[in-house]
Amino acid sequence: MTRTTDLGNETVENILKRLRRIEGQVRGLQKMVAEGRPCDEVLTQMTATKKAMEAAATLILHEFLNVCAAEVSEGKVDPRKPEEIANMLKKFV
């Protein structure tokens, strides 16, 4: 099973940076709701947060597939890898 640590330090830092930004967005959403902000403003921010999550997921999937491709080119094919790829794609879609 491919782990996030297999994606490389730069990628992991990029993912963590995105997740920290998303964490801040979620805290901002909580504050907006507690303050009684207009629903359209809250929903707009929720949409932005959702898109940020999708972008982070896309990055993870992209790098995961790069790792898989590298393993194939190096002849290190785990027979369970196609199932792992299929499961990742099911979660993403």
Side-chain angles (χ1 to χ4, degrees):
M1 178 178 287
T2 305
R3 298 181 177 278
T4 54
T5 51
D6 298 329
L7 304 180
N9 291 336
E10 185 176 326
T11 298
V12 170
E13 284 303 314
N14 191 346
I15 293 165
L16 289 172
K17 185 189 314 181
R18 289 170 184 257
L19 291 174
R20 287 184 196 105
R21 191 174 312 125
I22 292 164
E23 181 181 25
Q25 287 176 303
V26 171
R27 275 192 251 107
L29 278 164
Q30 291 171 342
K31 184 177 177 185
M32 289 174 76
V33 171
E35 292 174 349
R37 299 283 291 272
C39 293
D40 66 323
E41 290 180 18
V42 174
L43 290 173
T44 298
Q45 186 60 34
M46 283 182 164
T47 300
T49 303
K50 179 181 174 187
K51 289 188 183 296
M53 286 291 291
E54 289 170 354
T58 299
L59 176 60
I60 291 171
L61 181 62
H62 180 265
E63 292 303 318
F64 166 76
L65 293 173
N66 281 338
V67 168
C68 293
E71 289 173 357
V72 168
S73 70
E74 295 168 2
K76 302 181 201 171
V77 181
D78 182 340
R80 296 170 297 195
K81 192 58 76 172
E83 184 178 348
E84 184 181 358
I85 293 170
N87 288 334
M88 289 282 286
L89 291 172
K90 279 186 219 173
K91 290 177 184 177
F92 188 72
V93 175

